[in-house]
Every structure is written in C-alpha cells, then in structure tokens.
Amino acid sequence: MRPAQALIDLDALRHNYRVARGTASHAMAIVKADAYGHGAVECARALEPEAEAFGVAAIEEALALREAGIVRPILLLEGFFEADELPLIERHDLWCAIASEWQLAALERYAPKRPLRIWLKMDSGMHRLGLPPAEFADAWQRLQRLPWVRDAVAMTHFANADDVADAYTREQIAAFDAACAGLDIGVRSLANSAGLLAWPDARRDWVRPGLMLYGASPFVGPEPSADALRPVMSLRSRVIAVRELEAGEPIGYGGTFITPKSMRIGVVAMGYADGYPQRAPEGTPVAVDGHASRIVGRVSMDMLTIDLSALPDAGVGSEVELWGTQVPLADVVRHCGTSAYTLLSGLKRVERKYVSADALR
Ligand SMILES: *Cc1c(COP(=O)(O)O)cnc(C)c1O
C-alpha cells in the first residue's frame, strides 16, 4: 500500500476545543469542508460529548452528520441556497443562518410546524454575506414577528481578525454593536478562531472556532494565545527510493535543482495530487525519522524529492513527516506562501488514520 497517510489525533482535537470553550459561554465546533480535511464525521463523533453544536457550510454537510448519528444542533453558516431546503432544515432540526434579504423573505413565506433557531447575520465590514447594518434592525424585527422563530442569534464575521495589529476588527465590533443597539437581542456571536483568541471583546455568547480546533494558528505572525493548541494532523509518508548523485545533476521535472555537490536524494511518496503544494520551494522543511531535512527539486504529482545527504541512516522505508508534530504546519505555510486553511482543506487521496497522541511523537 502507498504509505501516504494523514494521522489524526482526536485527543488533540478535544483539547483544542476545550481551549476555545474556555473563552466564552458557548462554543460551536466548525466542521465544514470535511472538518478542514480531518474527516467531519469522525471529528464530530469525537467532539459530540462536549461540543454544544457544530457549524457547516451547506445542508449536504449537515445531513451527512445526521446520517452518521450526530444529534447535536448543527448550524448552516450560510443558510440555505434554495428555499426548498427549508423542509429538510425543519425535519432535521438544523439551525439556520439568514444572511440575505431573499433568504429572509423565503423564511417569512415558509410556515414550519416546529420552532426554528435562526442566526441573523450582519455584514459589519467584510462585505461578503450578511445584511447591511442599516437594514439589520428592520430584519431583526421581522424575525421577531415570526411566531416560530426561537432564540434568534445576532451574528457577524471578521475579515482581518488574524492580523492582531489591524484595527479593522475593532471597527467591525463597533459597527455590529451600533447596529444592535436598542434591539432586544439575547444572544450574540462574532468570533472565529482568530477573533476568540486575540480579541477578547469579540468573545460574545457563542464563539465559532474552526481552524484552531485542528491545532493550526490562524495568525499571520507569532501569537501567544495560539501556543496552547496541539496539532491534530501529522501528514506522513515514506522514502521509496534513494539516489546517490554526483555534483551537477538535475533533479525532477524541469531540472530546476542541480546538485551543487555530490548528494544523497530521497524520493518520497507524496505529491501535489495529495494536496501537498506544488509550488513548495527548495528548502521547505520535512522531517525524516524525526530529523530535519528539506525539499529539493520540483514537487511532482505523486512524489517529491528531499536531501538525505546529512542523514546517512535514512533510506528506503524511512518515515517522512510533511507537517504535523515535528514540522510545524506554520513553517510549511511560510515557505509556500499559502495558508493553513488551504493546506488542510486541500488534502486528498491520502488515507486518514485516527491514532493516539503517542503515535504522533
Ligand atoms: C468558517 C467559519 C468560521 C470558522 O473560522 P476559522 O477562522 O476557521 O475559525 C466561523 N464562522 C463562520 C461564519 C465561518 O464561515
């Protein structure tokens, strides 16, 4: 069997959830995009005893969780895409965001037999989804007139909370509070991972951690509030061939790397078809049997090449970590000019295996 695997430590996931839960009265675990590449059903099952609710991007994701037996509340973060999802939302007792006027109008036309929990979303400055602040009060009052809307939540989402030096988050909080003033709002929700970690004023009733659950820091630079997180995934494979090359030999497609001296090169079963970044430059860190090494040559679809010159004990079968407990994901992010979100949610083809923390050392 091809040795490429994503090892996943569900204890670390639970630990990270508790970090988020400790910041606010309620914490919803965001498991959209297959739990950022970690397996939504497995992650939701692991969290269900303590997570109070889950958040997903679409009803398909919510129904997959219900089919797997998840009974906790599930919020559709973008609401419905078509009004005919409303009967399913009702039948499966989902929580639903309302983020556009057309959704609100469709909701008003629908007459459910059971109460629905609605999260009314305001665009406090990100300018993606949500009702403009000037329209929020009217929309909130329209919701209150619907007898079957229960415990409505006022929510918003941050654009720049991952940059702790950017005052825009403070402006978004102020815009949200100003538009909520005078309304009878019982429950508020503002913060994603970066918001709840770095912006204490954003920790209102429900926080919505996503990325941090998986142990990755959402921040652009170092940020102590993210230090308590534990990596959940270790992306691993093995050396499948070793080449001893003289100086002056090109490696891989395009021959972009030419050996400056004689070198020992390892070929690893991991490529961009697995979601490893194709553009990972020379020098991107990896670990071989726990020792630091680096990528040389271009990443190809199924394989990549690493420098084993300083690791005489490494050879065919040596274990390689691409990111995880030995190679911080943030280091790969920095080398590749990408984000932790992109790397984790972009994984494919690699087998996922749920393991104990000991297996990740
Ligand atoms: C994805 C998402 C989150 C989680 O964001 P992270 O940055 O991963 O913590 C929270 N709220 C909403 C509305 C989202 O779409």
Side-chain angles (χ1 to χ4, degrees), residues 28 30 32 36 56-57 75 77-78 121 128 155-158 189-196 207-214 218 341:
M28 163 178 296
I30 306 298
K32 64 190 179 188
Y36 296 48
V56 297
L75 172 64
L77 292 161
E78 297 163 41
K121 186 165 182 177
R128 195 177 58 177
M155 78 180 281
T156 193
H157 193 58
F158 296 131
S189 176
L190 290 80
N192 57 356
S193 298
L196 75 93
V207 291
R208 306 187 307 269
L211 187 70
M212 67 176 285
L213 297 178
Y214 310 101
Y341 297 90

PDB file of all heavy atoms in Angstrom, residues 28 30 32 36 56-57 75 77-78 121 128 155-158 189-196 207-214 218 341, ligand 1:
ATOM      1  N   MET A  28     -19.223  26.632  19.308  1.00  0.00           N
ATOM      2  CA  MET A  28     -19.691  25.776  18.227  1.00  0.00           C
ATOM      3  C   MET A  28     -18.465  25.275  17.467  1.00  0.00           C
ATOM      4  O   MET A  28     -17.625  26.069  17.061  1.00  0.00           O
ATOM      5  CB  MET A  28     -20.567  26.635  17.314  1.00  0.00           C
ATOM      6  CG  MET A  28     -20.808  26.056  15.953  1.00  0.00           C
ATOM      7  SD  MET A  28     -21.906  27.140  15.028  1.00  0.00           S
ATOM      8  CE  MET A  28     -23.366  27.013  16.043  1.00  0.00           C
ATOM      9  N   ILE A  30     -16.676  24.202  14.320  1.00  0.00           N
ATOM     10  CA  ILE A  30     -16.899  24.319  12.879  1.00  0.00           C
ATOM     11  C   ILE A  30     -16.233  23.130  12.182  1.00  0.00           C
ATOM     12  O   ILE A  30     -15.014  22.943  12.272  1.00  0.00           O
ATOM     13  CB  ILE A  30     -16.340  25.648  12.331  1.00  0.00           C
ATOM     14  CG1 ILE A  30     -16.912  26.844  13.125  1.00  0.00           C
ATOM     15  CG2 ILE A  30     -16.657  25.778  10.839  1.00  0.00           C
ATOM     16  CD1 ILE A  30     -18.405  27.025  13.063  1.00  0.00           C
ATOM     17  N   LYS A  32     -16.973  22.313   8.789  1.00  0.00           N
ATOM     18  CA  LYS A  32     -17.220  22.404   7.336  1.00  0.00           C
ATOM     19  C   LYS A  32     -16.015  21.864   6.567  1.00  0.00           C
ATOM     20  O   LYS A  32     -14.937  21.654   7.150  1.00  0.00           O
ATOM     21  CB  LYS A  32     -17.503  23.859   6.958  1.00  0.00           C
ATOM     22  CG  LYS A  32     -16.324  24.800   7.190  1.00  0.00           C
ATOM     23  CD  LYS A  32     -16.740  26.273   7.026  1.00  0.00           C
ATOM     24  CE  LYS A  32     -15.577  27.200   7.282  1.00  0.00           C
ATOM     25  NZ  LYS A  32     -16.015  28.620   7.325  1.00  0.00           N
ATOM     26  N   TYR A  36     -12.105  20.581   7.777  1.00  0.00           N
ATOM     27  CA  TYR A  36     -10.832  21.120   7.294  1.00  0.00           C
ATOM     28  C   TYR A  36      -9.878  19.970   6.937  1.00  0.00           C
ATOM     29  O   TYR A  36      -8.680  19.994   7.261  1.00  0.00           O
ATOM     30  CB  TYR A  36     -10.188  22.030   8.351  1.00  0.00           C
ATOM     31  CG  TYR A  36     -10.958  23.294   8.693  1.00  0.00           C
ATOM     32  CD1 TYR A  36     -12.313  23.267   8.980  1.00  0.00           C
ATOM     33  CD2 TYR A  36     -10.317  24.531   8.760  1.00  0.00           C
ATOM     34  CE1 TYR A  36     -13.013  24.427   9.310  1.00  0.00           C
ATOM     35  CE2 TYR A  36     -11.016  25.699   9.088  1.00  0.00           C
ATOM     36  CZ  TYR A  36     -12.356  25.630   9.372  1.00  0.00           C
ATOM     37  OH  TYR A  36     -13.057  26.773   9.702  1.00  0.00           O
ATOM     38  N   VAL A  56     -21.497  24.053   9.752  1.00  0.00           N
ATOM     39  CA  VAL A  56     -21.135  23.535   8.421  1.00  0.00           C
ATOM     40  C   VAL A  56     -21.494  24.578   7.366  1.00  0.00           C
ATOM     41  O   VAL A  56     -22.221  25.548   7.641  1.00  0.00           O
ATOM     42  CB  VAL A  56     -21.866  22.206   8.115  1.00  0.00           C
ATOM     43  CG1 VAL A  56     -21.450  21.114   9.085  1.00  0.00           C
ATOM     44  CG2 VAL A  56     -23.379  22.398   8.112  1.00  0.00           C
ATOM     45  N   ALA A  57     -21.031  24.346   6.137  1.00  0.00           N
ATOM     46  CA  ALA A  57     -21.226  25.326   5.068  1.00  0.00           C
ATOM     47  C   ALA A  57     -22.506  25.094   4.277  1.00  0.00           C
ATOM     48  O   ALA A  57     -22.984  26.003   3.614  1.00  0.00           O
ATOM     49  CB  ALA A  57     -20.024  25.296   4.112  1.00  0.00           C
ATOM     50  N   LEU A  75     -25.445  24.211  12.756  1.00  0.00           N
ATOM     51  CA  LEU A  75     -25.784  25.493  12.122  1.00  0.00           C
ATOM     52  C   LEU A  75     -25.315  25.496  10.667  1.00  0.00           C
ATOM     53  O   LEU A  75     -24.156  25.156  10.371  1.00  0.00           O
ATOM     54  CB  LEU A  75     -25.094  26.647  12.871  1.00  0.00           C
ATOM     55  CG  LEU A  75     -25.198  28.036  12.207  1.00  0.00           C
ATOM     56  CD1 LEU A  75     -26.655  28.527  12.134  1.00  0.00           C
ATOM     57  CD2 LEU A  75     -24.343  29.058  12.976  1.00  0.00           C
ATOM     58  N   LEU A  77     -23.983  27.713   8.217  1.00  0.00           N
ATOM     59  CA  LEU A  77     -23.349  29.026   8.369  1.00  0.00           C
ATOM     60  C   LEU A  77     -23.742  30.004   7.266  1.00  0.00           C
ATOM     61  O   LEU A  77     -23.672  31.215   7.455  1.00  0.00           O
ATOM     62  CB  LEU A  77     -21.822  28.866   8.391  1.00  0.00           C
ATOM     63  CG  LEU A  77     -21.252  28.157   9.625  1.00  0.00           C
ATOM     64  CD1 LEU A  77     -19.848  27.650   9.346  1.00  0.00           C
ATOM     65  CD2 LEU A  77     -21.257  29.083  10.833  1.00  0.00           C
ATOM     66  N   GLU A  78     -24.104  29.481   6.105  1.00  0.00           N
ATOM     67  CA  GLU A  78     -24.530  30.361   5.008  1.00  0.00           C
ATOM     68  C   GLU A  78     -26.028  30.260   4.769  1.00  0.00           C
ATOM     69  O   GLU A  78     -26.532  30.761   3.768  1.00  0.00           O
ATOM     70  CB  GLU A  78     -23.762  29.995   3.721  1.00  0.00           C
ATOM     71  CG  GLU A  78     -22.264  30.216   3.875  1.00  0.00           C
ATOM     72  CD  GLU A  78     -21.441  29.487   2.811  1.00  0.00           C
ATOM     73  OE1 GLU A  78     -21.845  29.467   1.642  1.00  0.00           O
ATOM     74  OE2 GLU A  78     -20.385  28.934   3.173  1.00  0.00           O
ATOM     75  N   LYS A 121     -27.447  37.200  10.243  1.00  0.00           N
ATOM     76  CA  LYS A 121     -26.073  37.621  10.038  1.00  0.00           C
ATOM     77  C   LYS A 121     -26.004  39.054   9.511  1.00  0.00           C
ATOM     78  O   LYS A 121     -26.696  39.407   8.561  1.00  0.00           O
ATOM     79  CB  LYS A 121     -25.398  36.672   9.048  1.00  0.00           C
ATOM     80  CG  LYS A 121     -23.920  36.945   8.875  1.00  0.00           C
ATOM     81  CD  LYS A 121     -23.252  35.769   8.183  1.00  0.00           C
ATOM     82  CE  LYS A 121     -21.768  36.018   8.050  1.00  0.00           C
ATOM     83  NZ  LYS A 121     -21.085  34.885   7.445  1.00  0.00           N
ATOM     84  N   ARG A 128     -19.137  40.345   2.464  1.00  0.00           N
ATOM     85  CA  ARG A 128     -19.337  39.085   1.765  1.00  0.00           C
ATOM     86  C   ARG A 128     -20.805  38.729   2.002  1.00  0.00           C
ATOM     87  O   ARG A 128     -21.651  39.183   1.277  1.00  0.00           O
ATOM     88  CB  ARG A 128     -18.352  38.029   2.310  1.00  0.00           C
ATOM     89  CG  ARG A 128     -18.224  36.818   1.443  1.00  0.00           C
ATOM     90  CD  ARG A 128     -17.192  35.842   1.988  1.00  0.00           C
ATOM     91  NE  ARG A 128     -17.509  35.405   3.355  1.00  0.00           N
ATOM     92  CZ  ARG A 128     -16.790  34.514   4.042  1.00  0.00           C
ATOM     93  NH1 ARG A 128     -15.711  33.988   3.509  1.00  0.00           N
ATOM     94  NH2 ARG A 128     -17.142  34.164   5.261  1.00  0.00           N
ATOM     95  N   MET A 155     -25.452  37.568  14.564  1.00  0.00           N
ATOM     96  CA  MET A 155     -24.069  37.150  14.312  1.00  0.00           C
ATOM     97  C   MET A 155     -23.397  38.026  13.264  1.00  0.00           C
ATOM     98  O   MET A 155     -24.049  38.700  12.474  1.00  0.00           O
ATOM     99  CB  MET A 155     -24.003  35.680  13.859  1.00  0.00           C
ATOM    100  CG  MET A 155     -24.373  35.440  12.414  1.00  0.00           C
ATOM    101  SD  MET A 155     -24.293  33.670  11.921  1.00  0.00           S
ATOM    102  CE  MET A 155     -22.556  33.420  11.687  1.00  0.00           C
ATOM    103  N   THR A 156     -22.062  38.017  13.309  1.00  0.00           N
ATOM    104  CA  THR A 156     -21.290  38.656  12.251  1.00  0.00           C
ATOM    105  C   THR A 156     -19.970  37.900  12.116  1.00  0.00           C
ATOM    106  O   THR A 156     -19.694  36.969  12.880  1.00  0.00           O
ATOM    107  CB  THR A 156     -21.071  40.163  12.525  1.00  0.00           C
ATOM    108  OG1 THR A 156     -20.588  40.783  11.325  1.00  0.00           O
ATOM    109  CG2 THR A 156     -20.064  40.397  13.646  1.00  0.00           C
ATOM    110  N   HIS A 157     -19.173  38.271  11.131  1.00  0.00           N
ATOM    111  CA  HIS A 157     -17.933  37.529  10.837  1.00  0.00           C
ATOM    112  C   HIS A 157     -16.836  38.542  10.531  1.00  0.00           C
ATOM    113  O   HIS A 157     -17.082  39.568   9.897  1.00  0.00           O
ATOM    114  CB  HIS A 157     -18.185  36.603   9.640  1.00  0.00           C
ATOM    115  CG  HIS A 157     -17.119  35.564   9.431  1.00  0.00           C
ATOM    116  ND1 HIS A 157     -16.760  34.642  10.394  1.00  0.00           N
ATOM    117  CD2 HIS A 157     -16.341  35.287   8.352  1.00  0.00           C
ATOM    118  CE1 HIS A 157     -15.809  33.843   9.904  1.00  0.00           C
ATOM    119  NE2 HIS A 157     -15.523  34.223   8.679  1.00  0.00           N
ATOM    120  N   PHE A 158     -15.605  38.228  10.988  1.00  0.00           N
ATOM    121  CA  PHE A 158     -14.483  39.161  10.827  1.00  0.00           C
ATOM    122  C   PHE A 158     -13.683  38.895   9.551  1.00  0.00           C
ATOM    123  O   PHE A 158     -13.468  37.736   9.183  1.00  0.00           O
ATOM    124  CB  PHE A 158     -13.526  39.057  12.015  1.00  0.00           C
ATOM    125  CG  PHE A 158     -14.146  39.455  13.319  1.00  0.00           C
ATOM    126  CD1 PHE A 158     -14.035  38.646  14.436  1.00  0.00           C
ATOM    127  CD2 PHE A 158     -14.840  40.650  13.433  1.00  0.00           C
ATOM    128  CE1 PHE A 158     -14.594  39.002  15.646  1.00  0.00           C
ATOM    129  CE2 PHE A 158     -15.413  41.029  14.645  1.00  0.00           C
ATOM    130  CZ  PHE A 158     -15.290  40.200  15.750  1.00  0.00           C
ATOM    131  N   SER A 189     -23.029  36.358  18.462  1.00  0.00           N
ATOM    132  CA  SER A 189     -21.892  35.514  18.056  1.00  0.00           C
ATOM    133  C   SER A 189     -21.054  36.258  17.033  1.00  0.00           C
ATOM    134  O   SER A 189     -21.554  36.636  15.970  1.00  0.00           O
ATOM    135  CB  SER A 189     -22.405  34.200  17.449  1.00  0.00           C
ATOM    136  OG  SER A 189     -21.310  33.419  16.980  1.00  0.00           O
ATOM    137  N   LEU A 190     -19.778  36.503  17.393  1.00  0.00           N
ATOM    138  CA  LEU A 190     -18.914  37.263  16.499  1.00  0.00           C
ATOM    139  C   LEU A 190     -17.686  36.485  16.037  1.00  0.00           C
ATOM    140  O   LEU A 190     -17.265  36.622  14.892  1.00  0.00           O
ATOM    141  CB  LEU A 190     -18.415  38.550  17.191  1.00  0.00           C
ATOM    142  CG  LEU A 190     -19.428  39.666  17.454  1.00  0.00           C
ATOM    143  CD1 LEU A 190     -20.248  39.381  18.691  1.00  0.00           C
ATOM    144  CD2 LEU A 190     -18.736  41.008  17.590  1.00  0.00           C
ATOM    145  N   ALA A 191     -17.097  35.707  16.963  1.00  0.00           N
ATOM    146  CA  ALA A 191     -15.692  35.341  16.765  1.00  0.00           C
ATOM    147  C   ALA A 191     -15.464  33.984  16.119  1.00  0.00           C
ATOM    148  O   ALA A 191     -16.000  32.969  16.568  1.00  0.00           O
ATOM    149  CB  ALA A 191     -14.969  35.376  18.105  1.00  0.00           C
ATOM    150  N   ASN A 192     -14.635  33.975  15.086  1.00  0.00           N
ATOM    151  CA  ASN A 192     -13.999  32.759  14.569  1.00  0.00           C
ATOM    152  C   ASN A 192     -12.752  32.497  15.432  1.00  0.00           C
ATOM    153  O   ASN A 192     -12.553  33.133  16.472  1.00  0.00           O
ATOM    154  CB  ASN A 192     -13.642  32.935  13.088  1.00  0.00           C
ATOM    155  CG  ASN A 192     -12.734  34.139  12.853  1.00  0.00           C
ATOM    156  OD1 ASN A 192     -12.429  34.896  13.778  1.00  0.00           O
ATOM    157  ND2 ASN A 192     -12.300  34.322  11.624  1.00  0.00           N
ATOM    158  N   SER A 193     -11.869  31.584  14.985  1.00  0.00           N
ATOM    159  CA  SER A 193     -10.695  31.235  15.812  1.00  0.00           C
ATOM    160  C   SER A 193      -9.875  32.462  16.179  1.00  0.00           C
ATOM    161  O   SER A 193      -9.564  32.696  17.351  1.00  0.00           O
ATOM    162  CB  SER A 193      -9.785  30.253  15.065  1.00  0.00           C
ATOM    163  OG  SER A 193     -10.456  29.063  14.791  1.00  0.00           O
ATOM    164  N   ALA A 194      -9.491  33.236  15.165  1.00  0.00           N
ATOM    165  CA  ALA A 194      -8.631  34.395  15.433  1.00  0.00           C
ATOM    166  C   ALA A 194      -9.352  35.397  16.320  1.00  0.00           C
ATOM    167  O   ALA A 194      -8.748  35.989  17.225  1.00  0.00           O
ATOM    168  CB  ALA A 194      -8.213  35.045  14.119  1.00  0.00           C
ATOM    169  N   GLY A 195     -10.639  35.577  16.090  1.00  0.00           N
ATOM    170  CA  GLY A 195     -11.415  36.523  16.888  1.00  0.00           C
ATOM    171  C   GLY A 195     -11.447  36.133  18.355  1.00  0.00           C
ATOM    172  O   GLY A 195     -11.236  36.958  19.244  1.00  0.00           O
ATOM    173  N   LEU A 196     -11.680  34.857  18.634  1.00  0.00           N
ATOM    174  CA  LEU A 196     -11.829  34.462  20.042  1.00  0.00           C
ATOM    175  C   LEU A 196     -10.485  34.399  20.750  1.00  0.00           C
ATOM    176  O   LEU A 196     -10.389  34.619  21.957  1.00  0.00           O
ATOM    177  CB  LEU A 196     -12.596  33.135  20.149  1.00  0.00           C
ATOM    178  CG  LEU A 196     -11.910  31.829  19.792  1.00  0.00           C
ATOM    179  CD1 LEU A 196     -11.304  31.179  21.019  1.00  0.00           C
ATOM    180  CD2 LEU A 196     -12.912  30.881  19.169  1.00  0.00           C
ATOM    181  N   VAL A 207     -18.888  31.437  20.516  1.00  0.00           N
ATOM    182  CA  VAL A 207     -17.734  31.559  19.631  1.00  0.00           C
ATOM    183  C   VAL A 207     -17.800  30.426  18.603  1.00  0.00           C
ATOM    184  O   VAL A 207     -18.432  29.396  18.835  1.00  0.00           O
ATOM    185  CB  VAL A 207     -16.394  31.557  20.396  1.00  0.00           C
ATOM    186  CG1 VAL A 207     -16.261  32.842  21.202  1.00  0.00           C
ATOM    187  CG2 VAL A 207     -16.277  30.330  21.298  1.00  0.00           C
ATOM    188  N   ARG A 208     -17.150  30.661  17.447  1.00  0.00           N
ATOM    189  CA  ARG A 208     -17.259  29.705  16.336  1.00  0.00           C
ATOM    190  C   ARG A 208     -15.859  29.272  15.869  1.00  0.00           C
ATOM    191  O   ARG A 208     -15.423  29.622  14.785  1.00  0.00           O
ATOM    192  CB  ARG A 208     -18.030  30.343  15.167  1.00  0.00           C
ATOM    193  CG  ARG A 208     -19.399  30.911  15.547  1.00  0.00           C
ATOM    194  CD  ARG A 208     -20.168  31.370  14.319  1.00  0.00           C
ATOM    195  NE  ARG A 208     -19.417  32.290  13.480  1.00  0.00           N
ATOM    196  CZ  ARG A 208     -19.421  33.620  13.585  1.00  0.00           C
ATOM    197  NH1 ARG A 208     -20.185  34.210  14.505  1.00  0.00           N
ATOM    198  NH2 ARG A 208     -18.699  34.361  12.780  1.00  0.00           N
ATOM    199  N   PRO A 209     -15.145  28.499  16.691  1.00  0.00           N
ATOM    200  CA  PRO A 209     -13.795  28.084  16.301  1.00  0.00           C
ATOM    201  C   PRO A 209     -13.808  27.062  15.179  1.00  0.00           C
ATOM    202  O   PRO A 209     -14.561  26.098  15.215  1.00  0.00           O
ATOM    203  CB  PRO A 209     -13.250  27.446  17.584  1.00  0.00           C
ATOM    204  CG  PRO A 209     -14.473  26.933  18.287  1.00  0.00           C
ATOM    205  CD  PRO A 209     -15.553  27.931  18.003  1.00  0.00           C
ATOM    206  N   GLY A 210     -12.955  27.289  14.172  1.00  0.00           N
ATOM    207  CA  GLY A 210     -12.745  26.323  13.096  1.00  0.00           C
ATOM    208  C   GLY A 210     -11.296  25.887  13.101  1.00  0.00           C
ATOM    209  O   GLY A 210     -10.907  24.937  13.772  1.00  0.00           O
ATOM    210  N   LEU A 211     -10.469  26.649  12.410  1.00  0.00           N
ATOM    211  CA  LEU A 211      -9.066  26.259  12.217  1.00  0.00           C
ATOM    212  C   LEU A 211      -8.357  25.862  13.508  1.00  0.00           C
ATOM    213  O   LEU A 211      -7.590  24.891  13.539  1.00  0.00           O
ATOM    214  CB  LEU A 211      -8.307  27.412  11.538  1.00  0.00           C
ATOM    215  CG  LEU A 211      -6.875  27.057  11.145  1.00  0.00           C
ATOM    216  CD1 LEU A 211      -6.850  26.060   9.999  1.00  0.00           C
ATOM    217  CD2 LEU A 211      -6.087  28.301  10.791  1.00  0.00           C
ATOM    218  N   MET A 212      -8.592  26.600  14.596  1.00  0.00           N
ATOM    219  CA  MET A 212      -7.851  26.320  15.836  1.00  0.00           C
ATOM    220  C   MET A 212      -8.162  24.925  16.389  1.00  0.00           C
ATOM    221  O   MET A 212      -7.333  24.323  17.059  1.00  0.00           O
ATOM    222  CB  MET A 212      -8.132  27.381  16.903  1.00  0.00           C
ATOM    223  CG  MET A 212      -9.547  27.387  17.424  1.00  0.00           C
ATOM    224  SD  MET A 212      -9.795  28.587  18.771  1.00  0.00           S
ATOM    225  CE  MET A 212      -8.993  27.786  20.161  1.00  0.00           C
ATOM    226  N   LEU A 213      -9.348  24.391  16.090  1.00  0.00           N
ATOM    227  CA  LEU A 213      -9.674  23.047  16.571  1.00  0.00           C
ATOM    228  C   LEU A 213      -8.679  22.033  16.038  1.00  0.00           C
ATOM    229  O   LEU A 213      -8.414  21.008  16.659  1.00  0.00           O
ATOM    230  CB  LEU A 213     -11.077  22.632  16.093  1.00  0.00           C
ATOM    231  CG  LEU A 213     -12.260  23.451  16.587  1.00  0.00           C
ATOM    232  CD1 LEU A 213     -13.534  22.904  15.963  1.00  0.00           C
ATOM    233  CD2 LEU A 213     -12.338  23.420  18.098  1.00  0.00           C
ATOM    234  N   TYR A 214      -8.157  22.331  14.862  1.00  0.00           N
ATOM    235  CA  TYR A 214      -7.256  21.393  14.199  1.00  0.00           C
ATOM    236  C   TYR A 214      -5.799  21.695  14.552  1.00  0.00           C
ATOM    237  O   TYR A 214      -4.882  21.119  13.977  1.00  0.00           O
ATOM    238  CB  TYR A 214      -7.549  21.415  12.696  1.00  0.00           C
ATOM    239  CG  TYR A 214      -9.047  21.242  12.483  1.00  0.00           C
ATOM    240  CD1 TYR A 214      -9.877  22.340  12.203  1.00  0.00           C
ATOM    241  CD2 TYR A 214      -9.642  20.017  12.723  1.00  0.00           C
ATOM    242  CE1 TYR A 214     -11.258  22.188  12.115  1.00  0.00           C
ATOM    243  CE2 TYR A 214     -11.025  19.862  12.648  1.00  0.00           C
ATOM    244  CZ  TYR A 214     -11.831  20.953  12.342  1.00  0.00           C
ATOM    245  OH  TYR A 214     -13.181  20.799  12.288  1.00  0.00           O
ATOM    246  N   PRO A 218      -4.302  30.611  13.354  1.00  0.00           N
ATOM    247  CA  PRO A 218      -4.843  31.413  12.265  1.00  0.00           C
ATOM    248  C   PRO A 218      -4.051  32.692  12.010  1.00  0.00           C
ATOM    249  O   PRO A 218      -4.335  33.416  11.054  1.00  0.00           O
ATOM    250  CB  PRO A 218      -6.258  31.748  12.760  1.00  0.00           C
ATOM    251  CG  PRO A 218      -6.136  31.743  14.247  1.00  0.00           C
ATOM    252  CD  PRO A 218      -5.077  30.726  14.589  1.00  0.00           C
ATOM    253  N   TYR A 341      -5.345  27.063   6.230  1.00  0.00           N
ATOM    254  CA  TYR A 341      -6.680  26.682   5.741  1.00  0.00           C
ATOM    255  C   TYR A 341      -6.570  25.939   4.404  1.00  0.00           C
ATOM    256  O   TYR A 341      -7.200  24.907   4.188  1.00  0.00           O
ATOM    257  CB  TYR A 341      -7.537  27.926   5.504  1.00  0.00           C
ATOM    258  CG  TYR A 341      -7.840  28.748   6.723  1.00  0.00           C
ATOM    259  CD1 TYR A 341      -7.007  29.777   7.126  1.00  0.00           C
ATOM    260  CD2 TYR A 341      -9.000  28.522   7.463  1.00  0.00           C
ATOM    261  CE1 TYR A 341      -7.291  30.549   8.230  1.00  0.00           C
ATOM    262  CE2 TYR A 341      -9.307  29.295   8.567  1.00  0.00           C
ATOM    263  CZ  TYR A 341      -8.445  30.307   8.960  1.00  0.00           C
ATOM    264  OH  TYR A 341      -8.740  31.067  10.052  1.00  0.00           O
TER     265      TYR A 341
HETATM  266  C1  LIG B   1     -15.545  29.080   8.624  1.00  0.00           C
HETATM  267  C2  LIG B   1     -16.264  29.949   9.563  1.00  0.00           C
HETATM  268  C3  LIG B   1     -15.844  30.047  10.894  1.00  0.00           C
HETATM  269  C4  LIG B   1     -14.576  29.399  11.416  1.00  0.00           C
HETATM  270  O1  LIG B   1     -13.480  30.187  11.019  1.00  0.00           O
HETATM  271  P1  LIG B   1     -11.988  29.863  11.485  1.00  0.00           P
HETATM  272  O2  LIG B   1     -11.202  31.009  11.014  1.00  0.00           O
HETATM  273  O3  LIG B   1     -11.609  28.590  10.787  1.00  0.00           O
HETATM  274  O4  LIG B   1     -12.024  29.711  12.944  1.00  0.00           O
HETATM  275  C5  LIG B   1     -16.609  30.804  11.767  1.00  0.00           C
HETATM  276  N1  LIG B   1     -17.710  31.442  11.332  1.00  0.00           N
HETATM  277  C6  LIG B   1     -18.144  31.379  10.055  1.00  0.00           C
HETATM  278  C7  LIG B   1     -19.352  32.133   9.646  1.00  0.00           C
HETATM  279  C8  LIG B   1     -17.430  30.648   9.120  1.00  0.00           C
HETATM  280  O5  LIG B   1     -17.847  30.604   7.855  1.00  0.00           O
END
